């Protein structure tokens, strides 16, 4: 059997090597338009930032090493320009000689990946993208040599604008700061990292700003001049102009479906190549994998007519590659996809799996949100630091719909455990009973994942009822009494405020340890009560106590910290929208805060 694979990176090369391990006699040809195969595109931002020092470290295999170990016929600088699926042939152009030839196949695997989307604005030709090794070479050359030595006399790049505040945009921003550049991150949405909900994403924004990145949300780049980027608000009104020696566009990717269209395959939602659970396209003997292909959505509703998503992530591309090899050789059955992702931003880590609240709301699906703020390991052990965790649960089935985490340590571990629980079909309440490895330096005897399970179980059984930060104003407006059960010192340090009849009103402060004695005299029994503490845990104890005293009680989910984060997110959105000052265009007139 002759198997031809188009695209020799994550999905394509995983397919090729798996095929060889399973079928020594197969003829395997990999056609790759670029100069390199099997390179680490996830490492590109870190090479640009100098964290990965050697360019060669990005190049995991070469055509020669693949030929030696796997007897795979790898041809770089070979662009496939056409497919005749009826005749089982491809037209291939050798980019060195310009000559074209026809290649036959028995099975064709399309693995062309996804292309960076570039916004269409005047001057955009000078914007760089980051997809492959050639791109990072262009970026490194645009940056010039290392600027961290403080020498400013050499004409090297000093400022950069990164367009797009998603995973790749954040990684590039961090690495350009590492190279000593003044970085402006421009994002059209009203928050960075939209896979996270706003009250968690605000922590990522804080981290970027604390490290000197000028974050401009609700903002777009409307034009590029030779040394600057002109910024506009979402409506297109120019609001600012910032220095931009280098511009990086990282606004997302579009599945590369060109060959699939030529082959006559069906496309799925948002343009990805439509494939079945065994990665077959609608055309016989043609398979599609990786970023170019749709992924079967593990969280799709049962009646969803299009249960697919485009999830351009490396884990899925590699799994696709391995799986398509199995299918071609007669095996079947790939798990649907959850979409599990992680990103580091300076010292902070943000990770997510499944749906976020914004998506669930858009889909009209019922959900229960749970926020917690545990330490990543025992608080008494040196180095403990807080996590912000969010779990989204189907209230009917108790199945986990999604999770998000932000923190300095232990984020990836929790999201990976939750992703595994989701893949295994565990319910949110089941998390309470997971046996997770524990010693003080690594976790807690009640791990943060167990704690999510406790909260979920309490909510499911009606042991506790919660209220979300965005529901608070209405409850208080309707007459609920808000009680802060933290200490007076904590209350004085910052307290939840609600808007009642246009007036700000603060919570009544009754510390938990005094609640039993003071409740009767100070909390009206004929009105609902909302209790809150710092993170929700003392609030839960208070809610249990007051419930047993006969009150109608809810606990503010995630406590003061979630409410405060949500308020900060709301304020940062308002601030961004209010930035209307046009900064003079001459570099002398550009203020420090705008570069
Ligand atoms: P690609 O890796 O894009 O490979 C496709 C190849 O096909 C390309 O080399 C292309 O030249 C070739 N090709 C296309 N058309 C043709 C043609 N007609 N003829 C011949 N060859 C062709 N994912 C994560 O999960 N975590 C991360 O931290 C992460 N970081 C990333 C950072 C960056 C800067 C980038 C760009 C991506 C990152 N990703 C990350 C995404 C991840 O790299 C992709 O999901 C993965 O590489 C997709 O693999 P693929 O094989 O589908 O496509």
């Amino acid at each position: 059997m002759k198997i031809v694979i188009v695209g020799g990176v994550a999905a394509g090369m995983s397919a090729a090597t798996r095929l060889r391990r399973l079928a020594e006699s197969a003829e395997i040809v990999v056609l790759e338009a670029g100069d390199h195969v099997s390179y680490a595109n996830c490492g590109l931002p870190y090479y640009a930032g100098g964290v990965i020092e050697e360019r060669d470290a990005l190049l995991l295999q070469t055509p020669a090493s693949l030929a030696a170990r796997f007897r795979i016929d790898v041809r770089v600088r070979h662009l496939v320009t056409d497919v005749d699926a009826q005749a089982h042939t491809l037209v291939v152009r050798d980019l060195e000689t310009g000559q074209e030839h026809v290649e036959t196949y028995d099975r064709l695997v399309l693995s062309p990946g996804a292309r960076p989307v570039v916004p269409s604005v005047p001057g955009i030709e000078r914007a760089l993208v980051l997809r492959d090794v050639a791109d990072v070479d262009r970026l490194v050359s645009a940056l010039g040599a290392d600027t961290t030595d403080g020498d400013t006399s050499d004409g090297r790049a000093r400022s950069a604008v990164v367009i797009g505040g998603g995973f790749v945009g954040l990684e590039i921003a961090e690495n350009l700061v590492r190279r000593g550049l003044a970085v402006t991150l421009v994002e059209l949405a009203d928050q960075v990292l939209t896979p996270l909900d706003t009250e968690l994403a605000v922590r990522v924004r804080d981290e970027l700003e604390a490290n000197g990145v000028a974050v401009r949300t609700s903002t777009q780049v409307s034009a590029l001049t030779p040394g600057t980027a002109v910024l506009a608000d979402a409506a297109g009104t120019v609001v600012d102009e910032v220095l931009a020696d280098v511009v990086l566009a990282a606004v997302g990717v579009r599945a590369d479906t060109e060959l699939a269209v030529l082959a006559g395959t069906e496309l799925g939602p948002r343009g990805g190549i439509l494939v079945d659970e065994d990665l077959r396209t609608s055309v016989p003997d043609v398979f599609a994998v990786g970023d170019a292909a749709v992924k079967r959505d593990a969280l799709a509703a049962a009646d969803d007519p299009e249960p697919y998503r485009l999830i351009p992530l490396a884990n899925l591309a590699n799994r696709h590659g391995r799986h398509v090899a199995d299918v071609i050789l007669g095996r079947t059955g790939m798990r649907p996809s959850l979409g599990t992702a992680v990103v580091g931003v300076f010292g902070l880590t943000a990770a997510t799996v499944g749906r976020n609240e914004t998506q669930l709301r858009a889909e009209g699906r019922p959900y229960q949100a749970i926020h917690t703020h545990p330490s990543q390991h025992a608080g008494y052990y040196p180095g403990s630091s807080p996590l912000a965790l969010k779990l989204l649960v189907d209230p009917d089935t108790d199945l986990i719909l999604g999770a998000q985490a932000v923190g300095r340590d232990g984020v990836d571990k929790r999201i990976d455990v939750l992703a595994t629980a989701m893949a295994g079909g565990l319910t949110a309440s089941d998390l309470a009973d997971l046996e997770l490895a524990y010693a003080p330096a690594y976790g807690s005897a009640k791990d943060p994942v167990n704690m999510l399970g406790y909260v979920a179980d309490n909510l499911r059984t009606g042991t506790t009822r919660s209220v979300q930060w965005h529901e608070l104003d209405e409850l208080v407006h309707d007459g609920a009494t808000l009680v802060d059960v933290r200490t007076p010192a904590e209350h004085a340090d910052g307290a939840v405020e609600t808007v009642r009849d246009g007036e700000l009103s603060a919570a009544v402060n009754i510390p938990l340890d005094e609640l039993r004695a003071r409740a009767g005299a100070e909390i009206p029994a004929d009105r609902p009560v909302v209790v809150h503490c710092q993170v929700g845990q003392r609030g839960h104890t208070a809610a249990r106590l007051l419930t047993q005293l006969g009150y109608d009680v809810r606990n503010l989910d995630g406590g003061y910290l979630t409410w405060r984060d949500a308020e900060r997110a709301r304020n940062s959105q308002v601030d961004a929208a209010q930035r209307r000052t046009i900064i003079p265009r001459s570099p002398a007139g550009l203020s420090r805060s705008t570069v």
Side-chain angles (χ1 to χ4, degrees), residues 7 9-11 32-33 41-42 78 80 111-113 130-131 259 290-291 312-314:
V9 192
E32 167 56 54
N41 36 15
C42 306
H78 279 66
V80 178
S111 177
L130 197 53
R131 178 190 182 178
L259 290 179
D291 284 2
L313 290 173

Side-chain angles (χ1 to χ4, degrees), residues 452-585:
L452 287 172
Y454 295 161
V455 179
D457 189 57
N458 283 332
L459 288 167
R460 182 182 62 84
T461 55
T463 310
T464 196
R465 289 186 302 155
S466 67
V467 54
Q468 296 299 315
W469 57 269
H470 51 83
E471 299 167 331
L472 195 58
D473 282 350
E474 196 177 328
L475 269 177
V476 173
H477 178 264
D478 290 347
T481 308
L482 180 62
V483 181
D484 179 355
V485 298
R486 299 174 302 165
T487 63
E490 287 174 291
H491 184 74
D493 222 23
V496 173
E497 286 170 337
T498 58
V499 182
R500 194 180 205 168
D501 299 329
E503 298 281 314
L504 275 181
S505 91
V508 181
N509 183 209
I510 308 178
L512 177 59
D513 295 344
E514 298 170 23
L515 192 61
R516 200 170 272 107
R518 290 172 55 183
E522 296 181 42
I523 305 176
D526 57 347
R527 292 198 215 152
V529 180
V530 176
V531 289
H532 87 80
C533 63
Q534 190 76 354
V535 298
Q537 202 172 3
R538 278 172 288 171
H540 171 58
T541 304
R544 288 300 308 148
L545 168 60
L546 291 177
T547 300
Q548 292 177 75
L549 292 177
Y551 287 90
D552 170 11
V553 193
R554 285 165 191 261
N555 183 19
L556 177 63
D557 185 53
Y560 172 71
L561 288 187
T562 295
W563 179 87
R564 187 200 62 187
D565 286 350
E567 278 300 295
R568 286 210 333 277
R570 200 152 37 188
N571 288 342
S572 72
Q573 289 159 10
V574 170
D575 287 346
Q578 282 174 347
R579 282 195 198 108
R580 291 286 182 277
T581 341
I582 298 182
I583 305 291
R585 286 192 52 176

Side-chain angles (χ1 to χ4, degrees), residues 106-441:
D106 296 314
R107 303 284 186 279
L108 174 64
V109 178
L110 297 177
S111 177
R115 297 181 189 183
V117 174
V118 180
S120 164
V121 298
I124 197 68
E125 314 76 57
R126 81 176 183 90
L128 302 173
V129 294
L130 197 53
R131 178 190 182 178
D132 57 25
V133 179
D135 291 333
V136 85
D137 287 343
R138 274 187 283 274
L139 173 58
V140 168
S141 130
L143 294 177
D146 191 357
T147 55
T148 52
D149 58 4
D151 176 5
T152 57
S153 62
D154 49 18
R156 294 171 188 157
R158 307 259 175 261
S159 58
V161 163
V162 178
I163 313 175
F167 290 107
V168 173
L170 296 188
E171 289 181 351
I172 294 170
E174 175 182 357
N175 280 289
L176 294 181
V177 168
R178 205 170 259 142
R179 291 285 300 250
L181 277 78
V183 178
T184 304
L185 182 77
V186 181
E187 167 58 57
L188 187 53
D190 56 14
Q191 64 169 74
V192 295
L193 212 54
T194 52
L196 296 187
D197 288 316
T198 170
E199 73 277 20
L200 276 89
V202 72
R203 292 183 172 221
V204 178
R205 181 191 183 122
D206 287 350
E207 186 71 19
L208 288 162
E209 290 180 335
N211 284 278
V213 178
V215 180
R216 306 296 298 265
T217 47
S218 303
T219 303
Q220 55 185 318
V221 169
S222 61
L224 296 177
T225 75
T228 70
V230 180
L231 307 185
D233 63 15
T237 306
V238 170
V239 292
D240 207 345
E241 184 167 1
V242 295
L243 293 175
D245 294 339
V246 174
V247 179
L248 247 299
V251 299
V253 293
R254 188 171 293 130
D256 187 339
T257 55
E258 210 171 291
L259 290 179
V261 169
L262 290 169
T265 75
E266 271 182 56
L267 300 186
R270 294 169 63 198
I273 306 170
L274 191 65
V275 288
D276 68 10
E277 63 185 18
D278 285 329
L279 305 165
R280 291 188 175 86
T281 69
S282 57
V283 171
D285 299 327
V286 180
F287 299 80
V289 290
D291 284 2
V294 298
K295 311 291 183 314
R296 239 173 8 110
D297 179 6
L299 297 165
D303 58 353
D304 188 338
E306 289 197 326
Y308 307 107
R309 293 171 77 197
L310 281 173
I311 309 176
L313 290 173
N315 166 286
L316 285 168
N318 281 279
R319 278 168 58 202
H320 265 191
R322 184 176 199 271
H323 183 66
V324 81
D326 286 2
V327 170
I328 288 171
L329 297 171
R331 307 178 184 196
T332 55
M334 175 160 163
R335 275 179 186 280
S337 308
L338 291 165
T340 311
V342 62
V343 67
V345 185
F346 300 97
L348 202 70
T349 306
T352 166
V353 55
R355 298 287 202 275
N356 64 23
E357 190 172 352
T358 312
Q359 292 164 332
L360 291 171
R361 214 178 293 138
E363 291 173 19
R365 289 172 72 164
Y367 63 87
Q368 170 78 56
I370 297 171
H371 295 82
T372 59
H373 299 269
S375 294
Q376 98 287 22
H377 66 52
Y380 59 80
Y381 188 85
S384 124
S385 67
L387 295 168
L389 286 177
K390 180 170 182 177
L391 190 74
L392 292 155
V393 181
D394 184 323
D396 299 324
T397 62
D398 199 29
L399 286 170
I400 305 166
L401 298 172
Q404 298 156 51
V406 177
R408 301 208 166 269
D409 187 25
V411 164
D412 50 343
K413 165 171 156 173
R414 271 57 189 222
I415 288 297
D416 282 348
V417 170
L418 292 168
T420 308
M422 290 171 77
L426 295 187
T427 64
S429 303
D430 287 335
L431 299 175
D433 282 333
L434 287 184
E435 284 182 47
L436 301 172
Y438 162 64

